[in-house]
Amino acid sequence: MPVMRAMVLERPGTALVMRERPVPLPGPGEILVEIAACGVCRTDLHVIDGELPDPRYPVVPGHEIVGNVAATGEGVGGFAPGTRVGVPWLGATCGVCPYCRAGRENLCDNPLFTGYTRDGGYATHAVADARFCFHLPEQADAAALAPLMCAGLIGWRSYRIAGEGTALGIYGFGAAAHILAQVAAWQGRRVYAFTRAGDTAAQDFARSLGAVWAGGSDEAPPEALDAAIIFAPVGALVPVALRAVKKGGRVVCGGIHMSDIPSFPYRTLWEERQVMSVANLTRADGREFLAIAPKVGLKTEVVRYPLGQANAALNDLRNGRLRGAAVLIP
Ligand SMILES: [Zn+2]
Ligand SMILES: [Zn+2]
């Protein structure tokens, strides 16, 4: 029986452990993916730390999967063996709840999420629902594509929800921000990048990707912002960002989990400023973003780790030691 390897989270708050198990067979509507690369996302840290509701253990984290179809289950069309595919965070939806029916499948009442409520991509193989997978360019480097599958897709949704304003603040310059800064610069917007105070390396990195200004999150931008996106999981940034946006401006929280938001005077919200969160993605977001990515000429900056070094990659992400995105290579 063929064997696969996976880095498994057995209990929250513990290190991942390498396990061997039989390669699963794809069920009806599913594909078996032989993984070429899987990105490491901050959400994986929240899964590992037990910060998300209704967890399932043991679980294989990872929802930025790039690989090739190794086998298909009954009733799967359009995914010939060998086809290059991407598997994102949204693993499946129910299709019948009010949100699914309204075209808001990102808010589905009964979803499955890759690397959270179903096994993900910190592995040599994964099974995925074919309806939620994306075709990806065959020639591109798999590691370079991996961050697009979440940092890119959910970043794109956050960016769209931030609106059309030309002065855009981004708090937390990690994987998602380094992709969005390129999109925004390509569209002629002015990006203001906020990092941890004193992180001059991240600020230099942001400027190299098209940010017109970069500074610490304790600094005020040189002009009032039309909108701001917060990717850092730091609730204290919500009132900070609200103070940086102009009247009618919007603050979008792009992460799945944040520390508590401190109380702030109503004056900070007044004048039709808005705070919103972004949850998950729809398949339409994915198609839209993957169509725009080649036009932008997106270049992702990745740091490769062998699969067995997943814990080291997660530690580097947790400690802010990464420039761009960590990617696991099985
Ligand atoms: Zn649903
Ligand atoms: Zn993610």
Side-chain angles (χ1 to χ4, degrees), residues 40-44 63-64 89 149-151 154:
V40 176
C41 173
R42 180 164 294 280
T43 297
D44 303 340
H63 55 270
E64 296 183 316
W89 168 249
M149 297 315 296
C150 177
I154 296 182

Side-chain angles (χ1 to χ4, degrees), residues 94-95 97 100 108-109:
C94 75
C97 76
C100 283
C108 174
D109 282 334

Side-chain angles (χ1 to χ4, degrees), residues 211-307:
V212 296
W213 177 93
S217 54
D218 55 341
E219 295 176 52
E223 67 167 312
L225 305 173
D226 293 302
I229 305 173
I230 304 177
F231 289 118
V234 180
L237 290 173
V238 171
V240 169
L242 276 170
R243 284 193 286 270
V245 299
K246 56 180 79 158
K247 288 184 281 188
R250 183 175 279 185
V251 173
V252 178
C253 302
I256 194 170
H257 176 83
M258 261 190 168
S259 53
D260 287 353
I261 300 171
S263 73
F264 53 87
Y266 177 62
R267 180 72 187 81
T268 305
L269 184 65
W270 167 241
E271 293 167 331
E272 302 195 349
R273 290 175 181 85
Q274 297 176 307
V275 180
M276 275 195 68
S277 66
V278 163
N280 313 317
L281 71 144
T282 65
R283 284 170 283 184
D285 294 327
R287 287 190 291 270
E288 203 175 274
F289 175 72
L290 291 171
I292 203 174
K295 295 183 194 155
V296 176
L298 275 183
K299 287 192 176 48
T300 51
E301 177 111 353
V302 299
V303 183
R304 292 169 167 79
Y305 296 79
L307 175 60

Side-chain angles (χ1 to χ4, degrees), residues 31 33-38 63-69 79 83-91 114 126 128-138 142 145-150 153 281 283 286 290:
I31 55 177
V33 179
E34 186 173 351
I35 297 172
C38 182
H63 55 270
E64 296 183 316
I65 302 174
V66 177
N68 295 84
V69 177
F79 288 99
T83 307
R84 167 68 67 80
V85 289
V87 184
W89 168 249
L90 187 68
T114 310
D129 185 324
R131 297 170 300 166
F132 291 82
C133 297
F134 298 110
H135 287 279
L136 293 177
E138 305 280 343
L145 289 173
L148 302 186
M149 297 315 296
C150 177
L153 295 188
L281 71 144
R283 284 170 283 184
L290 291 171

